[in-house]
Amino acid sequence: MLDQGAPPQTRPRPQGVGGLGSRMTRRKPVDRLIAEGGQGEGGTLRRTLGMWQLTMISIGATLGTGIFVVLGESVPKAGPAVTISFVIAGLTALFSALSYAELAGSIPVAGSSYSYAYATMGELVAWVCGWCLVLEYGVSVAAVAVGWGEYLNELLDGTIGVTIPDALSAAPGEADGSFINLPGLIVVLLAMVFLLGGAKESARANTIMVIVKIAALILFCAVGFTGFKSGNYSDFMPLGVAGVSAAGASLFFSYIGFDAASTAGEEAKNPQRDLPRAIMLSLIIVTALYVLVAAVAVGAWNWKDFEGSEASLTAIMNDVTGQTVWGTLLAAGAVISIASVVLTVLYGQTRVLFAMSRDGLVPKAFARVSGKTGTPRVNTVLVSLFCGALASVVPLGKLVDATSIGTLFAFGLVNIAVIVLRRTRPDMPRTFRVPLGWLFPVLGFGFCAYNMYNLDAVTWAVFGVWMAVGLVFYFLYGMRRSRLETESAAGEVSTAK
């Protein structure tokens, strides 16, 4: 029999204690999310990143394969109107970026949209969001790594006159006799080595690579403009609105990564102030570069020539100048810049899993922090090996669309989280607020849904299987091992005693 005179619990009991429905909807208090910032198994993350480093992380994670590689796959879908496709994808990213900026300034933690969902919509939605982020970050690392190999071959060809054979530079079935994409695996392992050294050291290396990539794109615009032909824009929208929309859905992949800064919330010196600024500044810079490069590229090359050309910017440089030296320079810049995307997106993946592990939803190994470097070492190694394996055997196109749908779903949830948090915590301090009330979050959700609708049936099927696997894992492992669950059980035992 219960002791009626037992002292009341000193700590608030978690929300959602009870049946299955209440367990799935229990929320983690915002104050607790913030209080646990940086705490891991056996160590803590270190606050070493300022606004400059955060902005470079965001640009580093965004600016890369989307413009260097995916442009070549998108132009055949939209024609010269690919510039409009970039704007559509950019608007989708903008509305979601505004929501990210508000939440990052209010809840500056490592889990990004996963943590925002946990605080606002409950554990099951948070798990779904986190599972989508695993798809977004993990698969996009692999996709970016695949694109890196294309430009590495261009660089090798232009400098020493040799290339890595298809058997070792393409995924199985992507080319005749292809067996493994070895460059994709190598670049992921190199990024892993940098990350194991510490967040500050990784951020320093990333900043250098970001400066190189911006310089490479400006060089392309300067050289490519000399070959600009207005006639290339005469048939502006050859495949109609449907083509522009389809390209926009794929090009959304180009904007994936601006949210990487939000995953650094527990390693930022002043996250409430710097995270919103870094997110918005990086998106403005990236969008301007994308539209400019796309406009110059289509002006210098007929849109039909992009078919089958993954390293299209290098080919344009060579074609315009009649020399290979300029294309080789661009390929060198691309090799460095795409490597920075691998580095920063891999960083984001490890921090999301770190937050999920701390909450008990994935194994504790992902939250184990090295006392020497302040990094989640086991987490970093496991994620790197997984992403490297994907990069070595899966073709680029399949990875791009799978990444896009996972990201769009997560971004849609972030827009909803802004609305929910404003209703449940209207007085909560916010260093940034999305303007015009609920209008922009609603538009952000609508744009995400529209772009998801334009992805093909195969991508939806892959997404469905991925979500089904995630839900099975949650109900068999995550729900039972959740810290809110175990604390609830411990509280009931204590009360019974």
Side-chain angles (χ1 to χ4, degrees):
M1 191 166 81
L2 293 179
D3 180 4
Q4 301 298 325
Q9 295 292 314
T10 56
R11 71 186 297 176
R13 293 180 68 182
Q15 300 185 50
V17 175
L20 179 63
S22 58
R23 290 164 73 190
M24 292 189 297
T25 57
R26 56 192 169 202
R27 299 188 302 274
K28 189 171 182 179
V30 173
D31 296 340
R32 181 173 173 182
L33 279 168
I34 297 173
E36 290 179 352
Q39 298 176 18
E41 294 285 332
T44 59
L45 303 178
R46 299 172 183 173
R47 293 193 178 276
T48 59
L49 306 177
M51 180 183 165
W52 171 252
Q53 289 94 339
L54 292 170
T55 303
M56 291 298 103
I57 287 174
S58 193
I59 294 176
T62 311
L63 191 63
T65 303
I67 194 65
F68 282 107
V69 179
V70 180
L71 175 67
E73 297 189 351
S74 300
V75 173
K77 297 179 182 179
V82 71
T83 51
I84 297 178
S85 300
F86 267 114
V87 172
I88 291 173
L91 282 174
T92 304
L94 173 62
F95 290 127
S96 295
L98 291 169
S99 294
Y100 263 101
E102 177 169 326
L103 293 174
S106 307
I107 313 174
V109 292
S112 185
S113 52
Y114 154 76
S115 295
Y116 309 152
Y118 212 165
T120 56
M121 290 175 278
E123 187 172 281
L124 178 61
V125 176
W127 168 263
V128 169
C129 189
W131 194 242
C132 286
L133 289 177
V134 172
L135 181 65
E136 171 193 349
Y137 285 115
V139 180
S140 82
V141 166
V144 170
V146 171
W148 186 78
E150 296 290 335
Y151 277 94
L152 179 63
N153 262 338
E154 293 286 338
L155 178 60
L156 292 174
D157 186 40
T159 52
I160 60 178
V162 299
T163 58
I164 302 172
D166 288 343
L168 299 176
S169 64
E174 199 171 21
D176 291 338
S178 58
F179 174 70
I180 186 173
N181 191 322
L182 190 59
L185 174 61
I186 290 173
V187 72
V188 173
L189 296 180
L190 287 174
M192 178 188 74
V193 172
F194 276 107
L195 290 175
L196 290 175
K200 185 176 181 179
E201 291 74 13
S202 301
R204 184 181 296 117
N206 173 66
T207 298
I208 295 171
M209 290 189 282
V210 168
I211 292 172
V212 170
K213 79 167 73 179
I214 292 176
L217 290 174
I218 292 174
L219 172 66
F220 168 80
C221 291
V223 175
F225 191 74
T226 63
F228 192 92
K229 302 179 184 68
S230 59
N232 286 338
Y233 277 93
S234 58
D235 188 11
F236 185 67
M237 199 180 294
L239 302 177
V241 175
V244 174
S245 298
S250 292
L251 283 173
F252 184 74
F253 175 83
S254 306
Y255 291 91
I256 292 171
F258 73 80
D259 57 318
S262 67
T263 66
E266 296 174 24
E267 290 161 285
K269 296 177 182 177
N270 190 343
Q272 284 89 349
R273 182 196 68 187
D274 293 340
L275 287 177
R277 295 179 182 180
I279 290 171
M280 297 309 302
L281 180 59
S282 64
L283 187 62
I284 291 171
I285 293 172
V286 167
T287 302
L289 280 170
Y290 278 167
V291 174
L292 178 61
V293 171
V296 171
V298 176
W301 240 21
N302 185 282
W303 68 274
K304 296 179 181 178
D305 294 335
F306 283 83
E307 186 72 42
S309 176
E310 292 187 338
S312 53
L313 298 190
T314 297
I316 291 172
M317 292 274 275
N318 292 338
D319 188 47
V320 167
T321 62
Q323 302 175 8
T324 60
V325 62
W326 295 104
T328 301
L329 283 175
L330 183 70
V335 166
I336 294 172
S337 67
I338 295 175
S340 78
V341 181
V342 175
L343 176 67
T344 48
V345 176
L346 194 63
Y347 167 86
Q349 173 72 97
T350 60
R351 270 45 180 186
V352 170
L353 284 170
F354 171 84
M356 295 177 73
S357 175
R358 186 171 55 198
D359 292 333
L361 298 181
V362 297
K364 289 184 178 181
F366 290 97
R368 196 172 300 146
V369 177
S370 166
K372 181 178 180 181
T373 62
T375 60
R377 297 178 69 92
V378 175
N379 182 345
T380 301
V381 172
L382 291 176
V383 170
S384 299
L385 293 177
F386 172 75
C387 294
L390 276 182
S392 64
V393 298
V394 182
L396 176 65
K398 301 299 181 184
L399 291 170
V400 169
D401 286 344
T403 304
S404 293
I405 195 168
T407 307
L408 287 164
F409 192 89
F411 283 10
L413 291 179
V414 168
N415 286 292
I416 295 174
V418 168
I419 297 173
V420 173
L421 197 60
R422 284 190 179 184
R423 286 183 61 88
T424 57
R425 295 289 301 273
D427 300 326
M428 182 178 177
R430 291 169 170 83
T431 56
F432 175 86
R433 292 182 68 92
V434 179
L436 301 180
W438 292 3
L439 177 61
F440 282 178
V442 169
L443 287 174
F445 177 81
F447 269 96
C448 288
Y450 174 74
N451 277 282
M452 289 180 72
Y453 173 78
N454 281 292
L455 291 170
D456 60 40
V458 174
T459 302
W460 273 98
V462 171
F463 182 65
V465 172
W466 177 259
M467 294 308 301
V469 172
L471 289 173
V472 169
F473 187 89
Y474 170 72
F475 285 112
L476 294 181
Y477 181 93
M479 174 184 281
R480 299 179 180 185
R481 300 294 184 90
S482 164
R483 284 185 63 189
L484 296 186
E485 175 79 9
T486 55
E487 289 169 357
S488 169
E492 290 176 354
V493 171
S494 175
T495 301
K497 291 180 180 179

